[in-house]
Amino acid sequence: MYRRTVAALATVAAAGAVALGTTATAEAAGPGFFARSHHSSYAECQAAGVAGAPLWGQIFFCEPFSPSRPDVYVLWVRI
């Protein structure tokens, strides 16, 4: 019982931390922009943006996920 309680609390704490981190990043992108996908390189992110342009238009950009994770790029689209 103790292990389940600790696991549940750890899950809730991790989800809260992820939500707070995502909120800060979304605010930095500006109003109307949404994170669409994550990619392992800038070129891959740009290719995904160009390929999906018929869905979300020509306005999109890629940026590193965070200073601690520069190997992950986020595709931001405007819908």
Side-chain angles (χ1 to χ4, degrees):
M1 180 70 171
Y2 176 74
R3 287 183 183 172
R4 285 189 220 164
T5 304
V6 170
L9 289 174
T11 303
V12 169
V18 168
L20 289 175
T22 304
T23 302
T25 305
E27 289 174 358
F33 282 93
F34 301 94
R36 175 70 179 153
S37 57
H38 297 85
H39 303 277
S40 59
S41 70
Y42 184 78
E44 183 181 318
C45 183
Q46 285 291 326
V50 170
L55 297 174
W56 50 71
Q58 295 294 324
I59 301 175
F60 65 88
F61 65 95
C62 298
E63 69 176 2
F65 180 70
S66 71
S68 63
R69 291 297 309 264
D71 60 329
V72 177
Y73 289 87
V74 180
L75 172 63
W76 292 93
V77 299
R78 187 167 185 149
I79 297 177

